[in-house]
Amino acid sequence: MVDSKSTKPHYEISDTKNVNLLSERESATFNVEELTQFMFGGPDNYYELNTRRKLIRLALAHPIHQTHLPIEYLDADEHYSVTTRKSLLAIEEANRLNITNDKHRQWFYSIFANNHFALYIHTSMCLYALETMANEEQKREFVPLARSCYITTAYTQTELGHGTNLQRLETEAVFDRTTDSFILNTPTLTATKFWPGALARTANHALLMAQLYTPDRNHSCGIQMFLVQIRDFNTHEPLPGVELGEISSRYAHAAGDNGYLRLTNVRIARKQMLMK
Ligand SMILES: Cc1cc2nc3c(=O)[nH]c(=O)nc-3n(C[C@H](O)[C@H](O)[C@H](O)COP(=O)(O)OP(=O)(O)OC[C@H]3O[C@@H](n4cnc5c(N)ncnc54)[C@H](O)[C@@H]3O)c2cc1C
C-alpha cells in the first residue's frame, strides 16, 4: 500500500482544512506545491512525495494521537513518557504496515512520534555504525538484536572536555590478557561522556568511543568503538560501575534525551570491540 509506484501526485497540499494556513499559502509569492515537489525529487517524480503524504496520513490516523494533550502542553516527564510510548508503537505499526524501505520507516517513526522519535539515533546512526564497523561474526550476533530493538544504543562519543578533537578523548579501554576482556574507565572529570542522545533514559547500550590500551599501558593504540551494555535488560537500572544522568535543561530539552555517562572498572568481553 505504501510503496506505490504511481507517477502522479495523490494529494495536493491544499488537503488541509486550516483556513489560516490556506490563506497564508495563497499569499505566497511562489507555488507551494511546485516547491514541495521540487524538494522531493522534481516535477516528474511524485513517488517520494506521494509516499511521504501517505505515511503522514497513516501515522496520524492512529487513535493514540487522540489520547493526550498536544505534546507542547506536556511537562518534561509526560513528554518523555508519551513520545516513548508513541515511538515503540511506531515501530509496531511500521511492521504491521510492512514499510520496508529504511528512509520511509524513519519518516513514519518521526511523524508518528511528533518529531520526537526516541530511538532515532539508534535506528539511523547506530545501526548503520554497527553494520559497517562490526565483523561478520559480530554482525550475526548484534545486528538482529539491534534491529529488533532488544538492544538499543546511544552514540557515545563526545566528552565533557573533548568534542571535535577526537584524538584527545580520555575514556580508556585497557585490554586484560588474563581474562580476554577490556576494562573501561572515564578516569577524569573531562572524560565524562556528555551530550549523547538517548543516553539519559532510553538506551540499554552505549556505542562507545574510547582510547584502546594494551596491558602495559605505554601508549594508546587509537580510538576504537565498543558496544557496551549500560542498563539491565529487566530493570533498566544502570549496571554496576555505570553512572548515568540527564545533562539538565537545554534548548529543545525534550527532544534528545541527552545524557552523561561515567564508567568505573566496567569489564566487557573482547568481542564487544567492533573489529571490522
Ligand atoms: C543537540 C546535540 C546532540 C548531540 N548528540 C550527540 C550524540 O548523540 N553523541 C555524541 O557523542 N555527541 C553528541 N553531541 C555532541 C556534539 O557531537 C559535539 O557538540 C560536537 O562534536 C562539537 O564538540 P564541542 O561542542 O565540544 O565543540 P568544540 O569541539 O569545542 O568546537 C567548538 C567550535 O570550535 C571549532 N573547532 C574545533 N576544533 C577546531 C580546529 N581544530 N580548527 C578550527 N576550528 C575548530 C568547531 O568547529 C566549533 O565551531 C550532541 C550535541 C548537541 C548540541
Side-chain angles (χ1 to χ4, degrees):
M1 180 177 178
V2 168
D3 290 325
S4 152
K5 301 280 182 231
S6 61
T7 55
K8 293 278 178 238
H10 280 189
Y11 309 109
E12 295 300 319
I13 204 157
S14 56
D15 274 356
T16 180
K17 302 279 183 289
N18 182 325
V19 286
N20 295 328
L21 200 52
L22 282 171
S23 84
E24 284 302 317
R25 281 185 186 145
E26 273 161 22
S27 66
T29 55
F30 55 90
N31 184 317
V32 175
E33 181 65 20
E34 230 173 70
L35 178 64
T36 311
Q37 286 172 10
F38 174 77
M39 289 170 68
F40 282 87
D44 298 323
N45 182 359
Y46 296 107
Y47 173 61
E48 292 292 326
L49 183 55
N50 286 342
T51 303
R52 183 164 174 95
R53 287 177 173 167
K54 278 187 198 171
L55 292 173
I56 292 172
R57 283 165 180 257
L58 285 169
L60 299 184
H62 194 280
I64 192 169
H65 301 298
Q66 316 302 326
T67 60
H68 57 81
L69 289 170
I71 58 166
E72 297 77 11
Y73 291 80
L74 306 178
D75 71 25
D77 282 342
E78 288 171 323
H79 187 290
Y80 179 75
S81 160
V82 167
T83 53
T84 302
R85 197 148 47 93
K86 283 187 172 183
S87 300
L88 299 177
L89 200 51
I91 296 172
E92 275 177 32
E93 283 294 287
N95 290 339
R96 189 179 67 79
L97 294 165
N98 197 24
I99 304 169
T100 50
N101 177 298
D102 274 345
K103 179 170 72 179
H104 298 162
R105 279 181 83 91
Q106 292 298 340
W107 282 352
F108 183 81
Y109 294 158
S110 172
I111 299 158
F112 199 99
N114 305 104
N115 289 324
H116 295 287
F117 180 58
L119 296 172
Y120 174 71
I121 299 281
H122 171 72
T123 54
S124 55
M125 194 169 167
C126 291
L127 255 180
Y128 184 70
L130 261 182
E131 283 170 348
T132 49
M133 303 295 283
N135 66 21
E136 290 307 314
E137 201 181 333
Q138 291 173 316
K139 269 197 267 189
R140 271 196 297 279
E141 179 174 351
F142 300 140
V143 171
L145 295 173
R147 279 213 166 263
S148 70
C149 294
Y150 183 72
I151 284 179
T152 54
T153 49
Y155 190 83
T156 312
Q157 176 175 292
T158 306
E159 296 178 356
L160 197 51
H162 313 284
T164 310
N165 191 353
L166 295 183
Q167 292 307 318
R168 295 288 300 277
L169 291 183
E170 292 177 79
T171 299
E172 45 179 58
V174 181
F175 185 60
D176 177 12
R177 205 177 275 133
T178 52
T179 55
D180 201 27
S181 61
F182 295 102
I183 302 165
L184 305 176
N185 275 292
T186 45
T188 61
L189 181 63
T190 46
T192 305
K193 292 293 182 185
F194 203 85
W195 267 119
L199 187 63
R201 306 202 220 190
T202 309
N204 58 25
H205 281 65
L207 208 50
L208 183 91
M209 258 51 69
Q211 300 277 0
L212 172 64
Y213 287 95
T214 47
D216 57 22
R217 299 198 77 233
N218 269 348
H219 64 277
S220 163
C221 306
I223 304 291
Q224 297 291 332
M225 194 182 275
F226 300 83
L227 181 63
V228 185
Q229 184 171 357
I230 51 174
R231 288 187 166 96
D232 186 274
F233 280 123
N234 296 316
T235 64
H236 205 59
E237 290 297 319
L239 293 178
V242 175
E243 182 190 335
L244 288 161
E246 288 261 358
I247 65 168
S248 189
S249 57
R250 58 215 174 270
Y251 285 113
H253 69 92
D257 184 25
N258 304 94
Y260 73 85
L261 164 71
R262 295 193 49 76
L263 299 167
T264 308
N265 293 326
V266 171
R267 200 177 273 276
I268 55 168
R270 176 150 70 122
K271 65 172 185 174
Q272 300 301 121
M273 182 175 87
L274 302 188
M275 299 198 200
K276 188 167 185 180

